Amino acid sequence: FVLVVPLLTALAVNLFGRSRRQLIAPLVLGSLAFSVLGAIVVMGRVLSDGTISYTVGNWQPPYGIQLVVDPLSAMMMVLVSVVALLASFSALKSVEQELPGREAFFFTLYLILVAGLHGLVVTADAFNLYVLLEITSITTYGLVAMGRGRAALSSFNYIIMGTIGATFYLIGVGLIYMMTGTLNLADMELRIHEVADQKPILAAAGFITVGLALKAAMFPLHVWLPNAYTYAPHIVTAFMAACATKVSLYVL
């Protein structure tokens, strides 16, 4: 629910926010406040009872999609939700001034981005991680492009670099799947020791590291970041700097 509520609220903001702008603030703040409370409750359960595992659609791992929350990912959930809520207080006024008439589109993308970041933190499936990585990237491209001046060009450069990073990550996952026959991270951890010294696994480690380093803007793969931060709407820069690139580091 920490992940799903902002995602469903994004749909509500897109449907109703364009005609009734007064609904945007309560919807955004309410959903993110719920995520903060939910993330704190989940972290309390993890610290008291241990790691939480949830299978989506009752398809048991390693075949189904699994969500896992351990102490580190619980802490990341709290950080993402708290920063998103704090940033949204500033965003409501900032977006009204910078993007008049486009508030509904902005907060639709913003809430999808928050949901995607939560998904990256809790997923236990390597391919599902790729899908969520692309969801967060696509929403970020749109948010950056909503700025002024050279924002569209900055977003285009970001798209090129982000697509290269995603492709590298996907190639790495494909090589690991070829060698281990699984996409579940826990199952992969058990099987990968049998083939850890083989060249496809070593190549996969290189591809994944470079791909995620591009997403995280690690030097010297950070060339997309200065212009994206400069020309994006102010609140996008603040949230990306605090959470978006840091979650990529967590994934790595």
Side-chain angles (χ1 to χ4, degrees):
F1 285 112
V2 173
L3 186 160
V4 168
V5 168
L7 191 61
L8 295 179
T9 306
L11 175 63
V13 168
N14 190 44
L15 289 175
F16 307 117
R18 282 178 283 179
S19 57
R20 302 181 65 183
R21 292 183 190 173
Q22 67 272 23
L23 291 176
I24 294 176
L27 283 171
V28 171
L29 295 177
S31 65
L32 294 177
F34 176 88
S35 283
V36 171
L37 293 174
I40 292 171
V41 169
V42 169
M43 185 168 71
R45 281 189 56 194
V46 169
L47 294 177
S48 62
D49 302 332
T51 299
I52 298 173
S53 174
Y54 174 77
T55 56
V56 179
N58 268 343
W59 285 81
Q60 295 304 310
Y63 306 105
I65 294 173
Q66 184 182 27
L67 307 179
V68 174
V69 187
D70 58 20
L72 180 59
S73 55
M75 182 193 73
M76 291 296 295
M77 284 179 69
V78 172
L79 285 173
V80 169
S81 55
V82 168
V83 171
L85 178 60
L86 292 176
S88 65
F89 282 103
S90 298
L92 290 167
K93 193 67 177 177
S94 174
V95 171
E96 184 181 343
Q97 294 174 350
E98 290 186 71
L99 306 169
R102 294 192 286 169
E103 296 93 337
F105 294 112
F106 177 90
F107 284 106
T108 297
L109 292 176
Y110 182 76
L111 290 172
I112 295 172
L113 173 60
V114 173
L117 292 175
H118 281 306
L120 285 174
V121 167
V122 300
T123 186
D125 180 273
F127 183 76
N128 196 40
L129 196 150
Y130 163 76
V131 173
L132 290 161
L133 202 63
E134 284 300 89
I135 288 171
T136 57
S137 296
I138 290 168
T139 51
T140 309
Y141 304 152
L143 290 169
V144 171
M146 293 181 80
R148 296 178 180 176
R150 294 171 59 192
L153 179 60
S154 302
S155 179
F156 180 73
N157 291 336
Y158 185 11
I159 289 171
I160 298 299
M161 299 300 291
T163 303
I164 293 171
T167 302
F168 272 45
Y169 172 81
L170 192 59
I171 291 170
V173 169
L175 289 170
I176 291 178
Y177 180 71
M178 179 181 73
M179 299 300 293
T180 63
T182 185
L183 292 170
N184 182 272
L185 296 179
D187 195 37
M188 189 183 294
E189 182 185 10
L190 297 175
R191 298 189 189 189
I192 206 167
H193 295 295
E194 303 169 6
V195 291
D197 59 341
Q198 296 192 27
K199 288 182 180 179
I201 296 295
L202 299 176
F207 276 114
I208 290 172
T209 301
V210 172
L212 293 176
L214 271 164
K215 293 286 188 181
M218 292 171 62
F219 180 85
L221 304 173
H222 67 299
V223 292
W224 60 266
L225 184 139
N227 282 343
Y229 277 15
T230 301
Y231 297 107
H234 295 153
I235 199 63
V236 175
T237 300
F239 187 67
M240 281 178 64
C243 285
T245 51
K246 306 307 178 288
V247 168
S248 295
L249 284 174
Y250 166 83
V251 171
L252 180 59

